[in-house]
């Protein structure tokens, strides 16, 4: 695990975008899984600029969705997919057949999980997964207590996740479950980037990186990944 702290959120975002672009230059058919949430937004803007100025080409990549609130889809403001389409897939003109995203409105969510597991396996695994970290140490929607051995699954959201998740919506929105890639996908990905920004993430980053590896703190598993980068801005790194 390589940990690096950048002076600012901008520096963190630019570095992350350059790294992802480099990987795509090396492997234009890469299978990528990129988190939504606030943290990677500026990274996405940099990626769009790099693509629009001809410095990288995503037209042969496959994008796998990381997670979604059950009952929500790309057309719903506040969903995970909504932000990805708004900030990345839309501006990059990604062809829908390059995107594999959970249908979190499906009446058969276990089948959605199997479909997603199969999509990843068919492509030979994830080349790169970019994740954020929740206030309780969740990764994607793998909440504390989730087995490290799961592939895609439906999760019961923790109370803090429901509360913090309101920031993505313009009005109070009841959330109870998520559909998410599992930590086994994270561990099997060829490369992992965990990004964190802001002082509110400093304590959970310290616990995840310097505490025991435990299912009680899902992000701690990153300590065991052979090719993991943890990239922070100065505020998120203050407790290390
Ligand atoms: N489901 C998302 C995660 O995929 C995200 O990475 C994390 C951090 O979000 P943010 O970047 O907004 O802090 O929590 C959310 O609940």
């Amino acid at each position: 695990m390589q940990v690096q702290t950048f002076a600012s959120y901008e520096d963190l975002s630019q570095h992350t975008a350059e790294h992802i672009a480099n990987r795509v230059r090396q492997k234009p058919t890469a299978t990528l899984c990129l988190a939504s949430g606030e943290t990677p937004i500026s990274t996405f803007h940099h990626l769009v600029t790099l693509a629009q100025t001809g410095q990288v080409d995503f037209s042969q990549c496959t994008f796998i969705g990381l997670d979604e609130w059950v009952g929500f889809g790309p057309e719903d403001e506040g969903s995970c997919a909504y932000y990805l389409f708004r900030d990345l897939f839309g501006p990059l003109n990604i062809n829908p057949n390059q995107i594999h995203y959970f249908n979190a409105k499906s009446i058969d969510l276990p089948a959605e999980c199997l479909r997603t597991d199969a999509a990843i396996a068919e492509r030979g695994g994830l080349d790169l997964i970019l994740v954020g970290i929740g206030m309780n140490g969740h990764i994607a929607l793998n909440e504390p207590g989730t087995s490290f051995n799961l592939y895609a699954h439906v999760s019961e959201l923790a109370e803090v996740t429901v509360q913090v998740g309101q920031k993505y919506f313009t009005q109070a929105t009841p959330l109870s479950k998520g559909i998410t890639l599992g930590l086994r996908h994270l561990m099997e990905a060829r490369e992992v980037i965990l990004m964190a920004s802001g002082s509110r993430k400093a304590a959970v980053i310290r616990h995840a990186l310097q505490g025991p590896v435990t299912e009680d703190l899902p992000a701690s598993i990153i300590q065991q990944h052979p090719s993991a980068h943890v990239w922070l801005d100065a505020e998120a790194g203050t407790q290390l």
Side-chain angles (χ1 to χ4, degrees):
M1 179 180 65
Q2 175 242 359
V3 183
Q4 198 173 341
T5 301
F6 296 85
S8 67
Y9 173 66
E10 250 332 281
D11 290 352
L12 163 69
S13 303
Q14 193 163 355
H15 178 85
T16 307
E18 288 290 350
H19 184 91
I20 295 169
N22 269 333
R23 287 290 180 260
V24 172
R25 290 178 196 121
Q26 289 161 357
K27 185 177 179 184
T29 59
T31 301
L32 308 172
C33 177
L34 307 178
S36 58
E38 286 178 344
T39 312
I41 286 178
S42 180
T43 300
F44 293 167
H45 293 165
H46 284 292
L47 287 175
V48 169
T49 301
L50 289 169
Q52 289 176 343
T53 53
Q55 297 179 69
V56 65
D57 177 7
F58 291 97
S59 65
Q60 296 177 71
C61 292
T62 298
F63 294 88
I64 304 284
L66 177 67
D67 56 3
E68 188 56 277
W69 312 111
V70 165
F72 292 81
E75 60 285 354
D76 300 314
E77 190 179 4
S79 71
C80 300
Y82 176 87
Y83 289 101
L84 278 169
F85 278 89
R86 186 193 70 179
D87 295 326
L88 194 68
F89 301 153
L92 288 178
N93 280 319
I94 298 297
N95 189 316
N97 67 21
Q98 291 174 254
I99 302 168
H100 179 104
Y101 217 95
F102 289 114
N103 173 8
K105 294 184 175 181
S106 169
I107 53 163
D108 191 351
L109 295 171
E112 273 303 299
C113 294
L114 292 174
R115 197 172 69 83
T116 302
D117 292 344
I120 294 171
E122 275 164 24
R123 288 162 181 80
L126 298 172
D127 290 302
L128 187 150
I129 184 167
L130 169 72
V131 295
I133 183 170
M135 294 300 292
N136 60 358
H138 74 213
I139 292 280
L141 288 170
N142 291 276
E143 298 284 25
T146 304
S147 165
F148 285 159
N149 279 320
L150 292 181
Y151 286 117
H153 60 279
V154 175
S155 69
E156 293 291 333
L157 299 178
E159 188 53 40
V160 64
T161 302
V162 173
Q163 284 165 14
V164 174
Q166 299 302 315
K167 69 181 177 178
Y168 306 118
F169 297 87
T170 48
Q171 53 192 26
T173 304
L175 302 168
S176 63
K177 291 182 196 297
I179 185 166
T180 181
L181 295 195
L183 295 168
R184 202 156 165 192
H185 286 123
L186 183 100
M187 291 307 282
E188 291 179 4
R190 280 183 266 287
E191 185 174 30
V192 179
I193 301 171
L194 188 156
M195 286 180 90
S197 162
S199 55
R200 72 189 199 288
K201 298 282 177 72
V204 74
I205 281 291
R206 174 167 54 88
H207 291 132
L209 304 189
Q210 297 181 343
V213 176
T214 166
E215 291 176 348
D216 291 336
L217 194 77
S220 64
I221 198 174
I222 200 161
Q223 296 180 36
Q224 296 182 341
H225 194 285
S227 184
H229 311 280
V230 180
W231 291 336
L232 312 169
D233 66 9
E235 292 180 344
T238 46
Q239 293 194 26
L240 295 179

